[in-house]
Amino acid sequence: MYAAQINYRQAVERWCKKVDEYNAQCPTIVAERTVKTVDGEVTKSYERKVGTLKASVKATGLHLIAQYAEAWAKYTATTRGLGKPSDVYLKTNRVEIGERLNRSPRSVYDHIRKLIAVGLVDNYKFCGRHQSFELWISPQILFGEGNEEKKETPLKAPKTAVSPSVRQNLPPSHITQKQHSTTIRAVDCGKTGKQNQGDNEDPHRGGQIANQPAPYEPRVKETRKGGGAAPAGADAYAELERGFVKLPKFLRQMVVNFWFVARAALYHRNEWSEQENQMALLEIYSGVFGKFGVSQSDAAWTDYYNELIERLTMAQTWFSKHEKRYPDKPYASQKKMGYFDAKNNFGFAMTAAWLAKDQLRKRENRVEYLLNVARLDFERLAAGKPRASKQEMSELQLFVYYNNLAKSYGKEVQERFSAQYLAQKARKFAPVKVAKMSIRAQKAAAKAEVVYVEPWMEMGESFIRY
């Protein structure tokens, strides 16, 4: 398991040590130099090494390590520590590096060739366009020799039943992860941040959020339910442990990483013993991942893991906004189910509906944006001022283009786009003029004088009351 953040200082020390070792083993030659002095010409002999790495090459290596550290931090922030060095690379070119280091492209090319020979650049791939290439930095320099993966010790089942611990009624703090920005890209780095998460109904009131309307079906479902009630004794935990230790290392590490994130997001003020950590891991393995009973690929499990992390972020935001609320214990305590039990409707299972609701909101926003852009493009095309990307398209081609985009969202969105196109064509793609009141008129309407009329005032002019 690799660290989420690269220790830049240690990586630099390993790189400098690598350079020193490389220069030390370079061959030494004896050279002579003739120097003119007052007494005449004097020939001096001195030793020098051949083929050593110059300071400029060493500085280029330091620059690549710094850029790779930023790309690695950005990638691990999205994968929650499940990334590998082979998944992250630097996509750049010698012109860009030369501008940053004030060197010529030819010098950068020679430096990259020497860095490959010395072992800093682990892999090199030429892209064949604009002098671009992809670089992979050696993990031995970034993480060290013995930091590939840590050995895992099997979990021990508790010998006694779950003992309740003192719950601290303290509001959890909102933990954010710093997103690093760099012009050098990494594979699948970066995801759209969430907005207004946790602004949902109180899950502790028992209110269920309704299913999403047809024809859209939410992508997130609770299909990985736990099998039965939460375990409450040593025998039940021992049975779960026997299934847990048989899992592949990738899946076991996924459960451990999820508990680390949940502990930092929801239980950061609690202290957990070794026994409680073991019980929490087994509860998550049973209730959240459903004992991995669904047969699917590692990539599918990784996608599901990322969805779980999004749901954890929603729960963290909700508890930070409701300071008098706090999550239940992660494991069953006395007669109360654990927070991660799949049957606990007031626990982590409730966040599946939150995520589905958020995905539906984002989908509706994308549909509205698509219809608005299509309307504006047709109006610009009719006015003879199309956008640069749509200049070569005719009206029919533009209709087919947006019709295919609308079709990807379903039949309902396609029908909305067709109705909008027919309405525009009926008015010859003229923009719709929306009558808007000026700010002065709006203020005047808001301050309109109200006259109260008594009943006797509506009975005619000849009516007189004494």
Side-chain angles (χ1 to χ4, degrees):
M1 186 65 188
Y2 292 91
Q5 300 287 340
I6 295 177
N7 192 324
Y8 180 72
R9 182 181 62 82
Q10 296 180 1
V12 169
E13 291 178 356
R14 285 189 288 266
W15 168 236
C16 294
K17 183 179 178 181
K18 183 80 171 178
V19 173
D20 294 340
E21 293 176 353
Y22 181 84
N23 292 338
Q25 66 182 2
C26 291
T28 303
I29 63 173
V30 178
E32 295 182 353
R33 177 180 297 176
T34 303
V35 181
K36 292 184 179 180
T37 62
V38 179
D39 300 332
E41 294 183 353
V42 179
T43 302
K44 295 182 179 181
S45 301
Y46 63 94
E47 297 180 353
R48 67 180 183 90
K49 291 184 174 292
V50 181
T52 58
L53 295 179
K54 297 181 180 180
S56 58
V57 181
K58 185 177 179 180
T60 303
L62 294 176
H63 173 74
L64 295 180
I65 292 175
Q67 295 298 321
Y68 191 91
E70 294 184 6
W72 175 261
K74 184 178 180 181
Y75 179 70
T76 53
T78 59
T79 58
R80 307 295 178 176
L82 296 178
K84 300 178 182 179
S86 59
D87 299 334
V88 184
Y89 62 87
L90 305 181
K91 189 169 185 179
T92 181
N93 55 71
R94 56 186 183 180
V95 177
E96 179 182 1
I97 299 177
E99 291 178 353
R100 293 187 177 188
L101 301 179
N102 195 18
R103 295 186 178 91
S104 65
R106 179 62 186 177
S107 299
V108 174
Y109 178 80
D110 294 337
H111 292 179
I112 296 297
R113 180 172 52 83
K114 293 179 181 179
L115 294 177
I116 295 174
V118 79
L120 176 65
V121 178
D122 192 41
N123 192 6
Y124 173 89
K125 180 181 178 182
F126 180 67
C127 298
R129 184 179 182 185
H130 300 303
Q131 301 176 345
S132 298
F133 46 80
E134 300 172 359
L135 299 177
W136 285 262
I137 307 300
S138 174
Q140 285 74 18
I141 295 179
L142 296 174
F143 305 98
E145 293 291 343
N147 196 21
E148 281 75 13
E149 292 187 1
K150 298 181 180 180
K151 296 183 179 179
E152 296 182 356
T153 56
L155 301 176
K156 297 181 180 180
K159 298 181 180 180
T160 58
V162 178
S163 58
S165 59
V166 179
R167 178 184 295 169
Q168 301 180 9
N169 188 5
L170 296 174
S173 64
H174 183 72
I175 302 175
T176 59
Q177 294 189 357
K178 182 179 179 181
Q179 297 291 337
H180 299 270
S181 62
T182 173
T183 57
I184 300 180
R185 300 179 295 177
V187 178
D188 298 333
C189 284
K191 290 187 176 179
T192 304
K194 305 187 73 60
Q195 298 177 357
N196 299 329
Q197 298 300 340
D199 295 334
N200 297 285
E201 298 182 1
D202 187 352
H204 301 272
R205 296 185 303 186
Q208 298 291 338
I209 299 178
N211 294 330
Q212 308 300 339
Y216 174 68
E217 183 178 3
R219 180 168 57 93
V220 180
K221 294 182 179 179
E222 276 295 328
T223 57
R224 303 168 177 87
K225 298 286 187 180
D235 296 337
Y237 278 106
E239 181 180 357
L240 283 177
E241 182 188 358
R242 285 192 292 268
F244 181 75
V245 296
K246 293 180 181 179
L247 292 174
K249 188 175 183 180
F250 175 77
L251 299 181
R252 294 201 309 270
Q253 190 63 40
M254 185 179 295
V255 177
V256 175
N257 290 344
F258 178 84
W259 169 234
F260 286 164
V261 178
R263 191 172 60 181
L266 303 179
Y267 304 101
H268 66 285
R269 293 187 181 271
N270 297 71
E271 296 182 359
W272 306 94
S273 62
E274 182 180 357
Q275 177 181 351
E276 291 173 338
N277 281 320
Q278 294 171 358
M279 292 187 294
L281 284 176
L282 296 178
E283 287 282 356
I284 293 173
Y285 159 67
S286 174
V288 178
F289 291 93
K291 304 177 184 179
F292 293 95
V294 179
S295 179
Q296 56 184 5
S297 62
D298 291 347
W301 279 117
T302 303
D303 294 339
Y304 177 63
Y305 174 83
N306 293 332
E307 293 176 1
L308 294 177
I309 297 300
E310 293 182 21
R311 291 165 55 182
L312 271 180
T313 306
M314 291 181 177
Q316 176 190 5
T317 307
W318 191 91
F319 283 112
S320 64
K321 290 183 178 180
H322 302 79
E323 298 182 355
K324 295 184 179 180
R325 298 285 187 177
Y326 46 85
D328 298 327
K329 296 177 182 178
Y331 46 80
S333 177
Q334 296 178 353
K335 296 183 179 180
K336 196 169 185 179
M337 291 186 295
Y339 181 73
F340 295 107
D341 191 347
K343 291 188 176 181
N344 186 0
N345 294 328
F346 305 144
F348 184 71
M350 190 65 179
T351 58
W354 292 1
L355 184 59
K357 183 178 180 180
D358 181 74
Q359 290 177 349
L360 179 62
R361 176 187 61 82
K362 289 183 177 180
R363 178 182 182 274
E364 292 176 350
N365 292 341
R366 291 194 299 268
V367 169
E368 292 298 330
Y369 177 78
L370 174 64
L371 295 178
N372 289 334
V373 172
R375 175 180 57 82
L376 293 175
D377 278 342
F378 279 111
E379 292 175 356
R380 291 169 180 168
L381 183 64
K385 299 179 181 179
R387 291 190 297 169
S389 58
K390 305 294 186 296
Q391 288 181 354
E392 304 298 332
M393 290 187 181
S394 62
E395 180 183 340
L396 178 59
Q397 292 174 339
L398 193 62
F399 173 81
V400 173
Y401 172 76
Y402 280 110
N403 184 64
N404 292 334
L405 293 179
K407 187 178 180 180
S408 62
Y409 289 97
K411 186 176 180 180
E412 180 183 0
V413 178
Q414 187 179 11
E415 292 177 352
R416 288 177 57 185
F417 167 72
S418 300
Q420 174 181 285
Y421 172 77
L422 293 177
Q424 283 187 285
K425 194 173 183 62
R427 60 174 183 270
K428 297 181 180 179
F429 299 103
V432 179
K433 295 183 179 180
V434 180
K436 295 183 180 180
M437 297 178 61
S438 62
I439 299 178
R440 182 177 297 178
Q442 294 177 7
K443 292 181 178 180
K447 297 181 180 179
E449 183 178 358
V450 180
V451 179
Y452 295 94
V453 180
E454 297 292 338
W456 61 271
M457 300 174 64
E458 300 177 352
M459 296 183 179
E461 298 178 356
S462 60
F463 179 82
I464 301 177
R465 178 181 292 243
Y466 296 95

